[in-house]
Amino acid sequence: MLYLCALLLPPLALFLSGKPFQGILNLLLWLASVVFAITILGFTIGFVLWAICAVHAIFVVHSVKADARAKALLDALKGRD
């Protein structure tokens, strides 16, 4: 579900993943992409900026999920539940 959110609303996915500073920076870039997309001359630039925001959010969400899986695996190996 977070991956879909990262694709459609990248800053929200970063905030929900617990990465507020990356979320703020991504929000600024995402807002710039929306402003460029609204204007006719900057539609291509807006799309490129949105794609950068989405890819960044997807990588961060994947990293957070991978860290959680690794922590769960280490806890299981140590015998803790």
Side-chain angles (χ1 to χ4, degrees):
M1 188 67 177
L2 273 179
Y3 288 112
L4 181 62
C5 185
L7 188 62
L8 299 176
L9 293 170
L12 180 62
L14 294 175
F15 288 127
L16 291 175
S17 295
K19 301 288 185 177
F21 295 114
Q22 290 183 4
I24 291 170
L25 293 175
N26 197 309
L27 178 65
L28 294 175
L29 190 61
W30 185 75
L31 288 175
S33 74
V34 169
V35 169
F36 278 118
I38 290 172
T39 63
I40 295 172
L41 297 174
F43 182 74
T44 304
I45 296 171
F47 180 74
V48 169
L49 288 176
W50 170 80
I52 291 170
C53 288
V55 168
H56 173 252
I58 289 170
F59 278 133
V60 170
V61 167
H62 180 72
S63 174
V64 167
K65 288 187 176 274
D67 289 344
R69 283 190 301 267
K71 185 179 180 321
L73 181 63
L74 285 174
D75 287 344
L77 288 175
K78 289 181 181 177
R80 292 186 273 167
D81 289 323

Coordinates of all heavy atoms in Angstrom, one line a residue:
M1 N 0.8 -1.2 0.0 CA 0.0 0.0 0.0 C 0.9 1.3 0.0 O 0.5 2.2 -0.6 CB -0.9 0.0 1.2 CG -1.9 1.0 1.2 SD -3.1 0.8 -0.1 CE -4.2 2.1 0.2
L2 N 2.0 1.2 0.7 CA 2.9 2.4 0.7 C 3.5 2.6 -0.6 O 3.8 3.7 -1.0 CB 3.9 2.2 1.8 CG 3.6 2.7 3.2 CD1 4.7 2.4 4.2 CD2 3.2 4.1 3.2
Y3 N 3.7 1.5 -1.4 CA 4.3 1.7 -2.7 C 3.3 2.4 -3.6 O 3.8 3.3 -4.4 CB 4.6 0.3 -3.3 CG 5.8 -0.4 -2.7 CD1 5.7 -1.5 -1.9 CD2 7.1 0.2 -2.8 CE1 6.8 -2.1 -1.3 CE2 8.2 -0.4 -2.3 CZ 8.0 -1.6 -1.5 OH 9.1 -2.2 -0.9
L4 N 2.1 2.2 -3.5 CA 1.1 2.9 -4.3 C 1.0 4.4 -3.9 O 1.0 5.3 -4.7 CB -0.3 2.3 -4.2 CG -1.4 2.9 -5.0 CD1 -1.1 2.9 -6.5 CD2 -2.7 2.3 -4.7
C5 N 1.1 4.6 -2.6 CA 1.1 5.9 -2.1 C 2.4 6.7 -2.5 O 2.4 7.8 -2.9 CB 1.1 5.9 -0.5 SG 1.0 7.5 0.2
A6 N 3.5 5.9 -2.6 CA 4.8 6.5 -3.0 C 4.7 6.9 -4.5 O 5.4 7.9 -4.9 CB 5.9 5.6 -2.8
L7 N 3.9 6.2 -5.2 CA 3.8 6.5 -6.7 C 2.9 7.7 -6.9 O 3.2 8.6 -7.7 CB 3.3 5.3 -7.4 CG 3.2 5.4 -8.9 CD1 4.6 5.5 -9.5 CD2 2.6 4.1 -9.5
L8 N 1.8 7.8 -6.1 CA 0.8 8.8 -6.4 C 1.1 10.1 -5.5 O 1.0 11.2 -6.1 CB -0.6 8.3 -6.0 CG -1.1 7.1 -6.9 CD1 -2.4 6.7 -6.4 CD2 -1.1 7.5 -8.3
L9 N 1.4 9.9 -4.3 CA 1.7 11.1 -3.4 C 3.0 10.8 -2.7 O 3.0 10.4 -1.5 CB 0.6 11.3 -2.4 CG -0.7 11.7 -3.0 CD1 -1.8 11.7 -1.9 CD2 -0.6 13.1 -3.5
P10 N 4.1 11.0 -3.3 CA 5.4 10.6 -2.7 C 5.7 11.2 -1.3 O 6.2 10.5 -0.5 CB 6.5 11.1 -3.8 CG 5.7 11.2 -5.0 CD 4.3 11.6 -4.7
P11 N 5.5 12.5 -1.1 CA 5.8 13.0 0.3 C 5.0 12.3 1.4 O 5.5 12.1 2.4 CB 5.4 14.5 0.2 CG 5.4 14.8 -1.3 CD 5.0 13.6 -2.0
L12 N 3.7 12.0 1.1 CA 2.9 11.3 2.1 C 3.5 10.0 2.5 O 3.5 9.6 3.6 CB 1.5 11.2 1.6 CG 0.5 10.5 2.6 CD1 0.4 11.3 3.9 CD2 -0.8 10.3 1.9
A13 N 4.0 9.3 1.5 CA 4.6 7.9 1.7 C 5.8 8.1 2.6 O 6.1 7.2 3.5 CB 4.9 7.3 0.4
L14 N 6.6 9.1 2.4 CA 7.8 9.3 3.2 C 7.4 9.7 4.6 O 8.1 9.2 5.6 CB 8.7 10.4 2.6 CG 9.3 10.0 1.2 CD1 10.1 11.2 0.7 CD2 10.2 8.8 1.4
F15 N 6.4 10.5 4.8 CA 6.0 10.8 6.2 C 5.4 9.6 6.9 O 5.7 9.4 8.1 CB 4.9 11.9 6.1 CG 5.5 13.3 5.8 CD1 4.9 14.0 4.8 CD2 6.5 13.8 6.5 CE1 5.4 15.3 4.5 CE2 7.0 15.1 6.2 CZ 6.5 15.8 5.1
L16 N 4.7 8.8 6.2 CA 4.1 7.6 6.8 C 5.2 6.5 7.1 O 5.0 5.7 7.9 CB 3.0 6.9 5.9 CG 1.8 7.7 5.7 CD1 0.8 7.1 4.7 CD2 1.1 7.9 7.1
S17 N 6.3 6.6 6.4 CA 7.4 5.7 6.6 C 8.3 6.1 7.8 O 9.2 5.4 8.2 CB 8.3 5.5 5.4 OG 7.6 4.9 4.3
G18 N 8.1 7.3 8.3 CA 8.9 7.8 9.4 C 10.1 8.5 9.0 O 11.1 8.5 9.7
K19 N 10.1 9.1 7.8 CA 11.2 9.9 7.3 C 10.8 11.3 7.1 O 10.6 11.8 6.0 CB 11.7 9.3 6.0 CG 12.2 7.8 6.1 CD 13.5 7.8 6.9 CE 14.0 6.3 6.9 NZ 15.3 6.2 7.5
P20 N 10.7 12.1 8.2 CA 10.1 13.5 8.0 C 11.0 14.4 7.2 O 10.5 15.3 6.5 CB 9.9 13.9 9.4 CG 10.8 13.1 10.3 CD 10.9 11.8 9.6
F21 N 12.3 14.4 7.4 CA 13.2 15.3 6.7 C 13.2 15.0 5.2 O 13.2 16.0 4.4 CB 14.6 15.3 7.3 CG 14.7 15.8 8.7 CD1 15.0 14.9 9.8 CD2 14.3 17.1 9.1 CE1 15.0 15.3 11.1 CE2 14.4 17.5 10.4 CZ 14.7 16.6 11.4
Q22 N 13.3 13.8 4.9 CA 13.2 13.4 3.5 C 11.9 13.8 2.9 O 11.7 14.1 1.7 CB 13.5 11.9 3.3 CG 15.0 11.6 3.5 CD 15.3 10.1 3.2 OE1 14.4 9.4 2.8 NE2 16.5 9.8 3.5
G23 N 10.8 13.6 3.7 CA 9.5 14.0 3.3 C 9.3 15.5 3.0 O 8.7 15.9 2.1
I24 N 10.0 16.3 3.8 CA 9.9 17.7 3.6 C 10.6 18.1 2.3 O 10.1 18.9 1.5 CB 10.5 18.5 4.8 CG1 9.6 18.3 6.0 CG2 10.7 20.0 4.5 CD1 10.1 18.8 7.3
L25 N 11.8 17.6 2.1 CA 12.5 17.9 0.9 C 11.8 17.4 -0.3 O 11.7 18.0 -1.4 CB 13.9 17.3 0.9 CG 14.8 17.9 2.0 CD1 16.2 17.2 2.0 CD2 15.1 19.4 1.7
N26 N 11.2 16.2 -0.2 CA 10.4 15.6 -1.3 C 9.2 16.4 -1.6 O 8.8 16.6 -2.7 CB 10.1 14.2 -1.0 CG 9.7 13.4 -2.2 OD1 8.8 13.8 -3.0 ND2 10.3 12.3 -2.4
L27 N 8.6 17.0 -0.5 CA 7.4 17.8 -0.6 C 7.7 19.1 -1.4 O 6.9 19.5 -2.3 CB 6.8 18.1 0.7 CG 5.6 19.1 0.8 CD1 4.4 18.4 0.1 CD2 5.3 19.5 2.2
L28 N 8.8 19.7 -1.1 CA 9.2 20.9 -1.9 C 9.4 20.6 -3.3 O 9.0 21.4 -4.2 CB 10.5 21.5 -1.3 CG 10.3 22.0 0.2 CD1 11.7 22.5 0.7 CD2 9.3 23.2 0.2
L29 N 10.1 19.5 -3.6 CA 10.3 19.1 -5.0 C 9.0 18.8 -5.7 O 8.7 19.1 -6.9 CB 11.3 18.0 -5.1 CG 11.8 17.6 -6.5 CD1 12.6 18.7 -7.1 CD2 12.7 16.4 -6.3
W30 N 8.1 18.1 -5.0 CA 6.8 17.7 -5.5 C 5.9 18.9 -5.8 O 5.3 18.9 -6.8 CB 6.1 16.7 -4.6 CG 4.9 16.1 -5.1 CD1 4.7 15.2 -6.0 CD2 3.5 16.5 -4.6 NE1 3.4 14.9 -6.2 CE2 2.6 15.7 -5.4 CE3 3.1 17.4 -3.7 CZ2 1.3 15.8 -5.2 CZ3 1.7 17.5 -3.5 CH2 0.8 16.7 -4.3
L31 N 6.0 19.9 -4.9 CA 5.2 21.1 -5.1 C 5.7 21.8 -6.3 O 4.9 22.4 -7.1 CB 5.2 22.0 -3.9 CG 4.4 21.5 -2.7 CD1 4.6 22.4 -1.5 CD2 2.9 21.4 -3.1
A32 N 7.0 21.8 -6.5 CA 7.6 22.5 -7.7 C 7.1 21.7 -9.0 O 6.8 22.3 -10.0 CB 9.1 22.5 -7.7
S33 N 7.0 20.4 -8.9 CA 6.6 19.6 -10.1 C 5.1 19.9 -10.4 O 4.7 20.0 -11.5 CB 6.8 18.1 -9.9 OG 5.8 17.6 -8.9
V34 N 4.3 20.1 -9.3 CA 2.9 20.5 -9.6 C 2.8 21.8 -10.2 O 2.0 22.0 -11.1 CB 2.1 20.4 -8.2 CG1 0.7 21.0 -8.4 CG2 2.0 19.0 -7.8
V35 N 3.5 22.8 -9.7 CA 3.5 24.1 -10.3 C 3.9 24.1 -11.8 O 3.3 24.7 -12.6 CB 4.4 25.1 -9.5 CG1 4.6 26.4 -10.2 CG2 3.8 25.3 -8.1
F36 N 5.0 23.4 -12.1 CA 5.5 23.3 -13.4 C 4.4 22.6 -14.3 O 4.2 22.9 -15.5 CB 6.8 22.6 -13.6 CG 8.0 23.5 -13.3 CD1 8.8 23.2 -12.2 CD2 8.2 24.6 -14.1 CE1 9.9 24.1 -12.0 CE2 9.3 25.4 -13.9 CZ 10.1 25.2 -12.8
A37 N 3.8 21.5 -13.7 CA 2.8 20.8 -14.5 C 1.6 21.6 -14.8 O 0.9 21.4 -15.9 CB 2.4 19.5 -13.8
I38 N 1.2 22.5 -14.0 CA 0.1 23.4 -14.2 C 0.3 24.3 -15.4 O -0.6 24.6 -16.2 CB -0.3 24.1 -12.9 CG1 -0.9 23.2 -11.9 CG2 -1.3 25.2 -13.2 CD1 -1.1 23.8 -10.5
T39 N 1.5 24.8 -15.5 CA 1.8 25.7 -16.6 C 2.0 24.9 -17.9 O 2.5 23.8 -17.8 CB 3.1 26.5 -16.3 OG1 4.2 25.7 -16.2 CG2 2.9 27.4 -15.0
I40 N 1.7 25.5 -19.0 CA 1.8 24.7 -20.3 C 3.2 24.6 -20.7 O 3.6 23.5 -21.2 CB 1.0 25.5 -21.3 CG1 -0.5 25.5 -21.0 CG2 1.2 24.9 -22.7 CD1 -1.4 26.3 -21.9
L41 N 4.0 25.6 -20.4 CA 5.4 25.5 -20.9 C 6.3 24.5 -20.1 O 7.2 24.0 -20.6 CB 6.1 26.9 -20.8 CG 5.5 28.0 -21.6 CD1 6.1 29.3 -21.3 CD2 5.6 27.6 -23.1
G42 N 5.9 24.3 -18.8 CA 6.7 23.4 -18.0 C 6.2 22.1 -17.7 O 6.6 21.4 -16.8
F43 N 5.2 21.6 -18.6 CA 4.6 20.3 -18.3 C 5.7 19.2 -18.3 O 5.7 18.3 -17.4 CB 3.5 20.0 -19.3 CG 2.9 18.7 -19.1 CD1 2.0 18.5 -18.0 CD2 3.2 17.6 -19.9 CE1 1.3 17.3 -17.8 CE2 2.5 16.3 -19.6 CZ 1.6 16.2 -18.6
T44 N 6.6 19.2 -19.2 CA 7.6 18.2 -19.3 C 8.5 18.2 -18.1 O 8.9 17.2 -17.5 CB 8.5 18.3 -20.6 OG1 7.6 18.3 -21.7 CG2 9.5 17.2 -20.7
I45 N 8.9 19.4 -17.7 CA 9.8 19.6 -16.5 C 9.0 19.1 -15.2 O 9.6 18.4 -14.4 CB 10.2 21.0 -16.3 CG1 11.1 21.4 -17.5 CG2 10.9 21.2 -15.0 CD1 11.4 22.9 -17.5
G46 N 7.7 19.4 -15.2 CA 6.9 19.0 -14.0 C 6.8 17.4 -14.0 O 6.9 16.9 -12.9
F47 N 6.6 16.8 -15.1 CA 6.6 15.3 -15.1 C 7.9 14.7 -14.7 O 7.9 13.7 -13.9 CB 6.2 14.8 -16.5 CG 6.1 13.3 -16.6 CD1 5.0 12.7 -16.0 CD2 7.1 12.6 -17.2 CE1 5.0 11.3 -16.1 CE2 7.0 11.2 -17.3 CZ 6.0 10.6 -16.7
V48 N 9.0 15.3 -15.1 CA 10.3 14.7 -14.8 C 10.5 14.9 -13.2 O 11.0 14.0 -12.6 CB 11.4 15.4 -15.6 CG1 12.8 15.1 -15.0 CG2 11.3 15.0 -17.0
L49 N 10.2 16.1 -12.7 CA 10.3 16.3 -11.3 C 9.4 15.3 -10.5 O 9.8 14.8 -9.4 CB 10.0 17.7 -10.9 CG 11.0 18.8 -11.3 CD1 10.5 20.2 -11.0 CD2 12.3 18.5 -10.7
W50 N 8.2 15.1 -10.9 CA 7.3 14.2 -10.3 C 7.9 12.8 -10.3 O 7.8 12.0 -9.3 CB 5.9 14.2 -10.9 CG 5.1 13.1 -10.4 CD1 4.4 13.0 -9.3 CD2 4.9 11.8 -11.1 NE1 3.7 11.8 -9.1 CE2 4.0 11.0 -10.2 CE3 5.3 11.3 -12.3 CZ2 3.6 9.8 -10.6 CZ3 4.9 10.0 -12.6 CH2 4.1 9.2 -11.8
A51 N 8.5 12.4 -11.4 CA 9.0 11.0 -11.6 C 10.2 10.9 -10.6 O 10.4 9.8 -10.0 CB 9.5 10.8 -13.0
I52 N 11.0 11.9 -10.5 CA 12.1 11.9 -9.5 C 11.6 11.7 -8.1 O 12.1 10.9 -7.3 CB 13.0 13.1 -9.7 CG1 13.8 13.1 -11.0 CG2 14.0 13.3 -8.5 CD1 14.4 14.4 -11.3
C53 N 10.6 12.5 -7.7 CA 10.0 12.3 -6.4 C 9.4 10.9 -6.2 O 9.6 10.4 -5.1 CB 8.8 13.3 -6.3 SG 9.3 15.0 -6.1
A54 N 8.8 10.4 -7.1 CA 8.2 9.1 -7.0 C 9.2 8.0 -6.8 O 9.1 7.1 -6.0 CB 7.3 8.7 -8.2
V55 N 10.3 8.0 -7.7 CA 11.3 7.0 -7.6 C 12.1 7.1 -6.2 O 12.4 6.1 -5.6 CB 12.3 7.2 -8.8 CG1 13.6 6.4 -8.5 CG2 11.7 6.8 -10.1
H56 N 12.3 8.4 -5.8 CA 13.0 8.5 -4.5 C 12.1 7.9 -3.4 O 12.6 7.2 -2.5 CB 13.2 10.0 -4.2 CG 13.7 10.3 -2.9 ND1 12.9 11.0 -1.9 CD2 14.9 10.1 -2.2 CE1 13.6 11.1 -0.8 NE2 14.8 10.6 -1.0
A57 N 10.8 8.2 -3.4 CA 9.9 7.7 -2.4 C 9.8 6.2 -2.4 O 9.8 5.5 -1.3 CB 8.5 8.3 -2.5
I58 N 9.8 5.6 -3.6 CA 9.8 4.1 -3.7 C 11.0 3.5 -3.1 O 11.0 2.5 -2.4 CB 9.5 3.7 -5.2 CG1 8.1 4.0 -5.6 CG2 9.8 2.2 -5.4 CD1 7.8 3.9 -7.0
F59 N 12.2 4.1 -3.4 CA 13.4 3.6 -2.8 C 13.5 3.7 -1.3 O 13.9 2.8 -0.6 CB 14.6 4.3 -3.4 CG 15.1 3.8 -4.8 CD1 15.3 4.6 -5.8 CD2 15.2 2.4 -5.0 CE1 15.7 4.2 -7.1 CE2 15.6 1.9 -6.2 CZ 15.8 2.8 -7.3
V60 N 13.0 4.8 -0.8 CA 13.0 5.0 0.7 C 12.0 4.0 1.3 O 12.4 3.4 2.4 CB 12.7 6.4 1.0 CG1 12.4 6.6 2.5 CG2 13.8 7.4 0.6
V61 N 10.8 3.8 0.8 CA 9.9 2.9 1.4 C 10.4 1.5 1.3 O 10.3 0.7 2.3 CB 8.5 3.0 0.6 CG1 7.6 1.8 1.0 CG2 7.8 4.3 0.9
H62 N 11.1 1.1 0.2 CA 11.7 -0.2 0.1 C 12.8 -0.4 1.1 O 12.9 -1.4 1.8 CB 12.2 -0.4 -1.3 CG 12.9 -1.8 -1.5 ND1 12.1 -2.9 -1.5 CD2 14.2 -2.1 -1.6 CE1 13.0 -4.0 -1.7 NE2 14.2 -3.5 -1.7
S63 N 13.6 0.7 1.3 CA 14.7 0.6 2.3 C 14.1 0.4 3.7 O 14.7 -0.4 4.5 CB 15.5 1.9 2.2 OG 16.5 1.9 3.2
V64 N 13.1 1.2 4.1 CA 12.5 1.0 5.4 C 11.9 -0.4 5.6 O 12.1 -1.0 6.7 CB 11.4 2.1 5.6 CG1 10.5 1.8 6.8 CG2 12.0 3.5 5.7
K65 N 11.3 -0.9 4.6 CA 10.7 -2.3 4.7 C 11.8 -3.3 4.8 O 11.7 -4.3 5.6 CB 9.8 -2.6 3.6 CG 8.5 -1.8 3.7 CD 7.5 -2.3 2.6 CE 6.2 -1.6 2.7 NZ 5.3 -2.3 3.6
A66 N 12.9 -3.1 4.1 CA 14.1 -4.0 4.2 C 14.7 -4.0 5.5 O 15.1 -5.0 6.1 CB 15.1 -3.7 3.1
D67 N 14.8 -2.8 6.1 CA 15.4 -2.7 7.4 C 14.5 -3.4 8.5 O 15.1 -4.0 9.4 CB 15.6 -1.2 7.8 CG 16.7 -0.5 7.0 OD1 17.5 -1.2 6.4 OD2 16.7 0.8 7.0
A68 N 13.2 -3.3 8.3 CA 12.3 -3.9 9.3 C 12.4 -5.5 9.1 O 12.4 -6.2 10.1 CB 10.9 -3.5 9.0
R69 N 12.6 -6.0 7.9 CA 12.7 -7.4 7.7 C 14.1 -7.9 8.3 O 14.1 -8.9 8.9 CB 12.7 -7.7 6.2 CG 11.3 -7.7 5.6 CD 11.3 -8.3 4.2 NE 12.2 -7.6 3.3 CZ 11.8 -6.6 2.5 NH1 10.5 -6.2 2.5 NH2 12.6 -6.0 1.7
A70 N 15.1 -7.1 8.1 CA 16.4 -7.5 8.6 C 16.4 -7.5 10.2 O 17.0 -8.4 10.8 CB 17.5 -6.5 8.1
K71 N 15.8 -6.5 10.8 CA 15.7 -6.5 12.2 C 14.9 -7.7 12.7 O 15.2 -8.3 13.7 CB 15.0 -5.2 12.7 CG 15.0 -5.0 14.2 CD 14.4 -3.7 14.6 CE 14.3 -3.4 16.0 NZ 14.0 -4.5 16.9
A72 N 13.8 -8.0 12.1 CA 13.0 -9.2 12.5 C 13.8 -10.4 12.4 O 13.7 -11.3 13.2 CB 11.7 -9.2 11.7
L73 N 14.6 -10.6 11.3 CA 15.4 -11.7 11.1 C 16.5 -11.8 12.2 O 16.7 -12.9 12.8 CB 16.0 -11.7 9.8 CG 16.9 -12.9 9.4 CD1 16.1 -14.2 9.4 CD2 17.6 -12.7 8.1
L74 N 17.1 -10.7 12.6 CA 18.1 -10.7 13.6 C 17.5 -11.1 15.0 O 18.0 -11.8 15.8 CB 18.8 -9.4 13.7 CG 19.8 -9.1 12.6 CD1 20.3 -7.7 12.7 CD2 21.0 -10.1 12.7
D75 N 16.3 -10.5 15.2 CA 15.6 -10.9 16.5 C 15.2 -12.4 16.5 O 15.4 -13.0 17.6 CB 14.3 -10.0 16.6 CG 14.7 -8.6 17.0 OD1 15.8 -8.3 17.4 OD2 13.7 -7.7 16.8
A76 N 14.8 -12.9 15.4 CA 14.5 -14.3 15.4 C 15.7 -15.2 15.6 O 15.7 -16.2 16.3 CB 13.8 -14.7 14.1
L77 N 16.9 -14.8 15.0 CA 18.1 -15.5 15.2 C 18.6 -15.5 16.6 O 19.2 -16.4 17.1 CB 19.1 -15.0 14.2 CG 18.9 -15.4 12.8 CD1 20.0 -14.7 11.9 CD2 19.0 -16.9 12.6
K78 N 18.4 -14.4 17.3 CA 18.8 -14.3 18.7 C 17.8 -14.9 19.7 O 18.1 -15.0 20.9 CB 18.9 -12.8 19.1 CG 20.1 -12.1 18.4 CD 20.2 -10.7 18.8 CE 21.3 -10.0 18.1 NZ 21.4 -8.5 18.4
G79 N 16.7 -15.4 19.2 CA 15.8 -16.1 20.0 C 14.7 -15.2 20.7 O 14.0 -15.7 21.5
R80 N 14.7 -14.0 20.3 CA 13.7 -13.1 20.8 C 12.5 -13.0 19.9 O 12.6 -13.2 18.7 CB 14.2 -11.7 20.9 CG 15.3 -11.5 22.0 CD 15.7 -10.1 22.2 NE 16.7 -9.8 21.2 CZ 17.2 -8.6 20.9 NH1 16.6 -7.6 21.5 NH2 18.1 -8.4 20.0
D81 N 11.3 -12.8 20.4 CA 10.1 -12.7 19.6 C 9.5 -11.4 19.7 O 9.4 -10.7 20.6 CB 9.1 -13.8 20.0 CG 9.6 -15.2 19.5 OD1 10.2 -15.3 18.5 OD2 9.3 -16.1 20.3

